[in-house]
Short mmCIF file of all heavy atoms in Angstrom, two decimals:
data_model
loop_
_atom_site.label_atom_id
_atom_site.label_comp_id
_atom_site.label_asym_id
_atom_site.label_seq_id
_atom_site.Cartn_x
_atom_site.Cartn_y
_atom_site.Cartn_z
N ASN A 37 15.50 -19.31 7.72
CA ASN A 37 16.94 -19.11 7.64
C ASN A 37 17.28 -17.77 7.01
O ASN A 37 17.59 -17.68 5.84
CB ASN A 37 17.59 -20.25 6.85
CG ASN A 37 17.32 -21.60 7.50
OD1 ASN A 37 17.35 -21.71 8.72
ND2 ASN A 37 17.05 -22.61 6.70
N GLY A 38 17.22 -16.70 7.79
CA GLY A 38 17.46 -15.33 7.36
C GLY A 38 18.86 -15.12 6.83
O GLY A 38 19.38 -15.99 6.16
N PRO A 39 19.51 -13.99 7.10
CA PRO A 39 19.20 -13.08 8.19
C PRO A 39 18.11 -12.05 7.88
O PRO A 39 17.74 -11.28 8.75
CB PRO A 39 20.53 -12.36 8.42
CG PRO A 39 21.15 -12.32 7.06
CD PRO A 39 20.76 -13.62 6.40
N TYR A 40 17.60 -12.05 6.65
CA TYR A 40 16.62 -11.04 6.28
C TYR A 40 15.21 -11.66 6.34
O TYR A 40 14.65 -12.06 5.32
CB TYR A 40 16.93 -10.48 4.89
CG TYR A 40 18.31 -9.89 4.78
CD1 TYR A 40 19.31 -10.55 4.09
CD2 TYR A 40 18.61 -8.68 5.40
CE1 TYR A 40 20.59 -10.01 4.00
CE2 TYR A 40 19.89 -8.13 5.31
CZ TYR A 40 20.87 -8.80 4.61
OH TYR A 40 22.14 -8.27 4.53
N ILE A 58 15.38 -14.04 3.39
CA ILE A 58 16.42 -14.00 2.37
C ILE A 58 17.76 -14.30 3.04
O ILE A 58 18.08 -13.74 4.09
CB ILE A 58 16.49 -12.63 1.68
CG1 ILE A 58 15.08 -12.15 1.29
CG2 ILE A 58 17.42 -12.68 0.48
CD1 ILE A 58 14.34 -13.04 0.35
N ASN A 59 18.54 -15.18 2.42
CA ASN A 59 19.85 -15.51 2.97
C ASN A 59 20.94 -15.24 1.95
O ASN A 59 20.74 -15.43 0.75
CB ASN A 59 19.92 -16.98 3.37
CG ASN A 59 21.18 -17.30 4.17
OD1 ASN A 59 21.27 -16.94 5.34
ND2 ASN A 59 22.13 -17.95 3.54
N ALA A 60 22.09 -14.78 2.42
CA ALA A 60 23.22 -14.51 1.54
C ALA A 60 24.40 -15.39 1.84
O ALA A 60 25.21 -15.70 0.98
CB ALA A 60 23.65 -13.04 1.65
N GLU A 61 24.55 -15.84 3.09
CA GLU A 61 25.66 -16.68 3.45
C GLU A 61 25.35 -17.42 4.74
O GLU A 61 24.49 -17.01 5.51
CB GLU A 61 26.94 -15.87 3.62
CG GLU A 61 26.83 -14.81 4.70
CD GLU A 61 28.05 -13.91 4.77
OE1 GLU A 61 28.77 -13.83 3.75
OE2 GLU A 61 28.29 -13.30 5.82
N THR A 62 26.02 -18.54 4.94
CA THR A 62 25.86 -19.35 6.14
C THR A 62 27.21 -19.53 6.79
O THR A 62 28.19 -19.88 6.12
CB THR A 62 25.25 -20.72 5.80
OG1 THR A 62 24.00 -20.53 5.14
CG2 THR A 62 25.04 -21.54 7.06
N THR A 63 27.30 -19.31 8.10
CA THR A 63 28.55 -19.47 8.84
C THR A 63 28.41 -20.59 9.85
O THR A 63 27.53 -20.53 10.73
CB THR A 63 28.96 -18.17 9.55
OG1 THR A 63 29.09 -17.13 8.57
CG2 THR A 63 30.27 -18.34 10.29
N VAL A 64 29.22 -21.62 9.73
CA VAL A 64 29.22 -22.76 10.65
C VAL A 64 30.65 -22.98 11.11
O VAL A 64 31.57 -23.16 10.29
CB VAL A 64 28.67 -24.03 9.98
CG1 VAL A 64 28.71 -25.21 10.96
CG2 VAL A 64 27.25 -23.80 9.48
N GLY A 66 32.79 -20.97 12.17
CA GLY A 66 33.69 -19.96 11.65
C GLY A 66 33.92 -20.03 10.16
O GLY A 66 34.65 -19.19 9.61
N VAL A 67 33.31 -21.00 9.48
CA VAL A 67 33.49 -21.14 8.03
C VAL A 67 32.24 -20.61 7.34
O VAL A 67 31.12 -21.04 7.62
CB VAL A 67 33.71 -22.61 7.63
CG1 VAL A 67 33.84 -22.74 6.11
CG2 VAL A 67 34.94 -23.16 8.33
N THR A 68 32.44 -19.65 6.44
CA THR A 68 31.33 -19.00 5.74
C THR A 68 31.13 -19.59 4.36
O THR A 68 32.07 -19.67 3.57
CB THR A 68 31.57 -17.49 5.62
OG1 THR A 68 31.67 -16.93 6.94
CG2 THR A 68 30.43 -16.81 4.88
N THR A 69 29.90 -20.03 4.10
CA THR A 69 29.54 -20.56 2.78
C THR A 69 28.56 -19.59 2.13
O THR A 69 27.51 -19.28 2.71
CB THR A 69 28.86 -21.93 2.90
OG1 THR A 69 29.75 -22.83 3.56
CG2 THR A 69 28.51 -22.48 1.52
N PRO A 70 28.89 -19.08 0.96
CA PRO A 70 28.03 -18.06 0.32
C PRO A 70 26.81 -18.66 -0.35
O PRO A 70 26.68 -18.65 -1.57
CB PRO A 70 28.97 -17.41 -0.69
CG PRO A 70 29.92 -18.50 -1.06
CD PRO A 70 30.12 -19.33 0.18
N ASP A 71 25.91 -19.24 0.46
CA ASP A 71 24.66 -19.78 -0.09
C ASP A 71 23.66 -18.65 -0.24
O ASP A 71 23.41 -17.90 0.70
CB ASP A 71 24.08 -20.83 0.85
CG ASP A 71 24.90 -22.10 0.89
OD1 ASP A 71 25.56 -22.40 -0.12
OD2 ASP A 71 24.89 -22.78 1.93
N HIS A 72 23.07 -18.57 -1.41
CA HIS A 72 22.07 -17.55 -1.68
C HIS A 72 20.74 -18.25 -1.92
O HIS A 72 20.62 -19.06 -2.85
CB HIS A 72 22.46 -16.70 -2.88
CG HIS A 72 23.67 -15.85 -2.63
ND1 HIS A 72 23.59 -14.53 -2.28
CD2 HIS A 72 24.98 -16.16 -2.65
CE1 HIS A 72 24.80 -14.04 -2.09
NE2 HIS A 72 25.66 -15.00 -2.31
N TYR A 73 19.77 -17.96 -1.07
CA TYR A 73 18.48 -18.61 -1.23
C TYR A 73 17.36 -17.79 -0.61
O TYR A 73 17.59 -16.87 0.17
CB TYR A 73 18.48 -20.02 -0.65
CG TYR A 73 18.87 -20.13 0.81
CD1 TYR A 73 17.98 -19.81 1.83
CD2 TYR A 73 20.14 -20.60 1.17
CE1 TYR A 73 18.31 -19.94 3.16
CE2 TYR A 73 20.49 -20.73 2.50
CZ TYR A 73 19.57 -20.40 3.49
OH TYR A 73 19.93 -20.53 4.81
N TYR A 91 17.10 -22.13 -3.76
CA TYR A 91 18.41 -21.54 -4.00
C TYR A 91 18.37 -20.65 -5.25
O TYR A 91 17.67 -20.96 -6.23
CB TYR A 91 19.47 -22.63 -4.16
CG TYR A 91 19.82 -23.28 -2.84
CD1 TYR A 91 19.10 -24.37 -2.37
CD2 TYR A 91 20.85 -22.77 -2.04
CE1 TYR A 91 19.39 -24.96 -1.15
CE2 TYR A 91 21.15 -23.35 -0.82
CZ TYR A 91 20.41 -24.43 -0.37
OH TYR A 91 20.71 -25.00 0.84
N GLU A 94 23.56 -15.54 -7.06
CA GLU A 94 23.92 -14.50 -6.11
C GLU A 94 23.24 -13.18 -6.46
O GLU A 94 23.29 -12.72 -7.60
CB GLU A 94 25.43 -14.31 -6.08
CG GLU A 94 25.90 -13.25 -5.11
CD GLU A 94 27.40 -13.14 -5.04
OE1 GLU A 94 28.08 -13.99 -5.66
OE2 GLU A 94 27.90 -12.21 -4.38
N ALA A 95 22.61 -12.59 -5.47
CA ALA A 95 21.98 -11.29 -5.67
C ALA A 95 23.05 -10.20 -5.60
O ALA A 95 23.83 -10.15 -4.64
CB ALA A 95 20.92 -11.04 -4.61
N LEU A 98 21.37 -7.00 -1.77
CA LEU A 98 20.52 -7.69 -0.81
C LEU A 98 19.52 -6.72 -0.17
O LEU A 98 19.73 -5.50 -0.19
CB LEU A 98 21.39 -8.34 0.27
CG LEU A 98 22.20 -9.54 -0.23
CD1 LEU A 98 23.31 -9.88 0.74
CD2 LEU A 98 21.28 -10.74 -0.45
#
Side-chain angles (χ1 to χ4, degrees):
N37 301 321
Y40 303 107
I58 313 300
N59 190 74
E61 60 186 22
T62 302
T63 302
V64 179
V67 178
T68 299
T69 302
D71 290 332
H72 292 262
Y73 56 78
Y91 286 88
E94 180 176 354
L98 289 164

